[in-house]
Amino acid sequence: MWKLSIVLFLLTTHSISQTKQELIDSIIKVNIVESDCIGYGCMPSKQYNNFQTLKSLLSEQELNTLSKHENPTLRTYALNELVQSGKGDLVQLLAQELRKNERVRTFEGCLMDFDPISSILYHEYWNKIRIEARNKARDGLYEEEQAMKRALETDVMMERLDSVVIHNRHVAYWLLYRRVFKNRKHKESYLSRIEDLAFKQNNSYAFEYLRKNYSSRYDERMEKYFTIDFPRARFKTESEIIYLNSLIETLLESERKDYRDIVIAKLKQDDSWRKHSGWIKNTLKNYGINEL
């Protein structure tokens, strides 16, 4: 009987060792980050379940190793697990993903997309602290919203991640900047970098942050930007077109005729925006501009 037990133990140990690699190979083969809610039935997919099984077999060191794996799908699953378990160096990992600037195919609900891994990692933590704060609030929707807002403002790790995004010298996804500049008012020592983002990289979220928090300090520089720099600026990528749309809205909501003329002249002489014309045409329509 004891011989049979030893044989079963050895077979089980060997099977677990093999299963890890089999699961890794299977996840890489599918190569999509699928959630626990797929399709109309909102059920966990086989891909999702395979990673759940895999993570139960991994040591902390192995999980950290997978967070640097060359395969984007496997790496993303590992990164998200490190966020949820609180075991990873999130600052270093976010910096890693901003440098790589790599996207991964995702499938959640009924939606498939192609998302930046840096954004997935950032939002995994962003959502985690919001949900934790919401669950502790007991007095209704307003209190839940306020609790989530306070969590984003005061959480030390969130502040560190925001700093990584702001000071990152690689091009980051537009949604990261939207979150970063909405989370809180940042240290004054960040202003030089935020100025670069706003006035040199045409980042509308950095621009709006300065306009909201330091309006009088940057009044003249903003006027110069809109009248001289903005007409010459180039907007080509997805993120840049989103910035263009936001900057146009800022100009038009001022109700200044000279700013309205700047918008029309800009869009007539630079047609790169037409590849994503839906956003901008809706904005123009809201302000009664139909000639473009």
Side-chain angles (χ1 to χ4, degrees):
M1 187 68 181
W2 64 270
K3 290 182 179 180
L4 179 60
S5 298
I6 292 175
V7 170
L8 288 173
F9 172 78
L10 291 173
L11 286 173
T12 302
T13 303
H14 180 70
S15 174
I16 289 174
S17 177
Q18 291 296 102
T19 299
K20 284 183 187 179
Q21 192 58 52
E22 288 171 1
L23 289 166
I24 287 172
D25 291 342
S26 175
I27 290 168
I28 290 173
K29 184 177 180 180
V30 174
N31 209 26
I32 301 174
V33 178
E34 298 180 350
S35 78
D36 59 347
C37 176
I38 295 296
Y40 293 109
C42 195
M43 300 292 290
S45 70
K46 182 179 179 182
Q47 176 84 325
Y48 175 84
N49 286 334
N50 279 344
F51 183 75
Q52 299 309 301
T53 302
L54 175 63
K55 78 176 186 182
S56 70
L57 305 175
L58 297 174
S59 67
E60 184 175 336
Q61 182 178 350
E62 288 172 321
L63 186 62
N64 272 287
T65 299
L66 288 186
S67 73
K68 299 173 180 61
H69 198 279
E70 63 180 5
N71 178 262
T73 295
L74 191 60
R75 192 167 80 248
T76 301
Y77 272 124
L79 288 167
N80 286 348
E81 177 58 26
L82 286 172
V83 171
Q84 292 301 327
S85 64
K87 295 177 179 177
D89 183 347
L90 301 190
V91 170
Q92 185 272 329
L93 292 171
L94 179 60
Q96 163 192 290
E97 294 307 325
L98 287 167
R99 284 194 303 271
K100 287 178 178 291
N101 194 27
E102 192 171 1
R103 292 187 178 230
V104 65
R105 194 166 297 282
T106 59
F107 187 14
E108 183 165 8
C110 300
L111 300 176
M112 296 194 73
D113 213 332
F114 204 53
D115 296 315
I117 300 175
S118 58
S119 180
I120 295 173
L121 170 59
Y122 179 95
H123 283 94
E124 189 74 15
Y125 187 78
W126 185 83
N127 278 316
K128 179 175 184 278
I129 64 169
R130 289 173 73 248
I131 290 169
E132 288 173 352
R134 182 197 66 190
N135 291 342
K136 292 176 183 177
R138 301 180 180 179
D139 299 321
L141 291 176
Y142 175 79
E143 286 71 19
E144 288 179 1
E145 288 293 332
Q146 291 303 303
M148 290 189 288
K149 184 174 182 292
R150 283 193 300 273
L152 295 175
E153 288 175 348
T154 60
D155 184 83
V156 174
M157 178 55 71
M158 191 80 262
E159 184 176 1
R160 293 178 68 196
L161 295 179
D162 287 348
S163 178
V164 171
V165 173
I166 291 172
H167 294 97
N168 164 60
R169 293 294 170 177
H170 304 270
V171 176
Y173 187 50
W174 65 270
L175 187 55
L176 291 175
Y177 292 116
R178 181 177 178 178
R179 301 297 189 213
V180 160
F181 289 120
K182 192 175 180 180
N183 284 345
R184 80 187 65 78
K185 186 174 181 180
H186 299 284
K187 297 173 183 175
E188 292 240 345
S189 59
Y190 292 11
L191 279 178
S192 176
R193 174 58 182 160
I194 297 172
E195 288 173 15
D196 285 347
L197 288 169
F199 300 116
K200 294 182 180 179
Q201 299 185 32
N202 309 298
N203 187 312
S204 62
Y205 298 109
F207 191 96
E208 185 58 30
Y209 174 86
L210 294 176
R211 194 165 76 109
K212 176 183 176 183
N213 294 291
Y214 301 95
S215 180
S216 59
R217 185 186 303 191
Y218 290 99
D219 239 6
E220 289 186 12
R221 191 164 181 183
M222 288 179 182
E223 178 72 11
K224 175 183 175 294
Y225 173 81
F226 278 137
T227 56
I228 298 174
D229 301 326
F230 174 74
R232 300 172 181 170
R234 303 292 292 176
F235 300 87
K236 294 183 178 180
T237 67
E238 175 193 355
S239 289
E240 288 169 348
I241 297 300
I242 289 173
Y243 300 154
L244 174 61
N245 185 58
S246 296
L247 291 167
I248 286 172
E249 192 158 19
T250 298
L251 284 163
L252 294 177
E253 71 183 10
S254 73
E255 298 184 346
R256 284 175 51 172
K257 184 181 182 303
D258 59 334
Y259 277 7
R260 183 185 178 96
D261 292 342
I262 286 172
V263 168
I264 294 172
K266 170 67 177 172
L267 296 180
K268 281 184 176 179
Q269 62 92 16
D270 178 6
D271 64 356
S272 60
W273 62 274
R274 293 188 185 277
K275 294 179 183 178
H276 306 276
S277 61
W279 302 325
I280 292 177
K281 282 187 175 179
N282 283 337
T283 299
L284 297 175
K285 185 178 179 181
N286 290 338
Y287 290 92
I289 299 175
N290 300 303
E291 61 262 39
L292 292 167

